[in-house]
Amino acid sequence: MGALAVESVMSITELLNDPGRRDHASMPEMDALVDADALQEADLVDVRFDAGSSSVALLLDLRTALQFRLANTAVLVLRDVKELYWAADEPQGARRIAHYIMSSKPGVDLNRFALEVVCLRGWRFRATGLTAEFYVGDVPGLPEAPPNFAEDDWQAITVGMASWDSLFKPGWATFLDPVDPEPI
């Protein structure tokens, strides 16, 4: 783990491609890479899979999360993805709704990081990869509470939620790298 980096603001997409991203290494309030249910009641805003780089990233709103009070946004990334599973029981709709995480289970299996996330309304995500990264910080200008997805118009919802292009001020980050197997 490294020291907390000098404050910087960049888009989330820029952070994920920044060669200096490990400069943000420090311990967050909870670590979603090792702590079961660390993401409980966070809102799964979006999932982005990039086949070219074999990576998957989860964008999370922390304003309703039980374990986080010092930041409003998190990004969890798996790199060198070997398996990806997605299931959603709910019909697609025109309006954005909250997808609160009920359970998050990180683990290491056969030298690979594994993550399973279960959300309200039957959404399930599972992936394994060789490395994992977890960034916690703030999207400046987000209101203290998320929008009301049932009553607010699309513009209010869009302005009130982080996106991949949102400016992001990383506060903490943790990293899991593959471990070489013990020699026999």
Side-chain angles (χ1 to χ4, degrees):
M1 304 245 193
L4 188 60
V6 175
E7 285 191 24
S8 60
V9 178
M10 63 189 81
S11 77
I12 294 170
T13 300
E14 289 170 332
L15 172 69
L16 297 181
N17 296 308
D18 182 6
R21 65 186 180 271
R22 286 183 179 254
D23 293 343
H24 301 287
S26 184
M27 195 56 147
E29 296 168 277
M30 290 287 286
D31 187 353
L33 302 183
V34 296
D35 297 322
D37 294 329
L39 300 176
Q40 196 169 25
E41 295 198 26
D43 181 3
L44 179 59
V45 176
D46 198 7
V47 176
R48 177 181 278 183
F49 175 63
D50 182 341
S53 67
S54 188
S55 65
V56 64
L58 285 71
L59 179 58
L60 304 153
D61 185 322
L62 299 179
R63 293 175 288 179
T64 56
L66 297 179
Q67 307 299 338
F68 295 91
R69 294 288 172 241
L70 301 177
N72 63 27
T73 304
V75 181
L76 196 152
V77 183
L78 284 81
R79 297 189 188 272
D80 298 312
V81 171
K82 302 301 178 194
E83 177 187 37
L84 177 62
Y85 171 82
W86 177 263
D89 294 337
E90 135 185 283
Q92 296 292 341
R95 293 193 50 86
R96 162 67 164 91
I97 58 173
H99 298 100
Y100 294 115
I101 295 174
M102 303 305 354
S103 172
S104 62
K105 293 184 175 108
V108 176
D109 185 27
L110 298 174
N111 200 32
R112 293 182 181 157
F113 175 75
L115 177 68
E116 182 176 352
V117 173
V118 177
C119 298
L120 280 178
R121 298 181 182 90
W123 285 41
R124 291 184 171 276
F125 168 87
R126 185 175 61 242
T128 60
L130 291 182
T131 66
E133 304 168 7
F134 181 55
Y135 303 93
V136 179
D138 285 310
V139 170
L142 280 185
E144 281 191 42
N148 181 326
F149 298 107
E151 296 177 8
D152 288 347
D153 63 23
W154 184 250
Q155 182 177 359
I157 291 171
T158 301
V159 169
M161 296 297 292
S163 73
W164 297 110
D165 295 324
S166 294
L167 292 180
F168 183 68
K169 185 169 89 175
W172 313 276
T174 58
F175 301 87
L176 283 180
D177 294 315
V179 178
D180 290 330
E182 293 290 324
I184 298 177

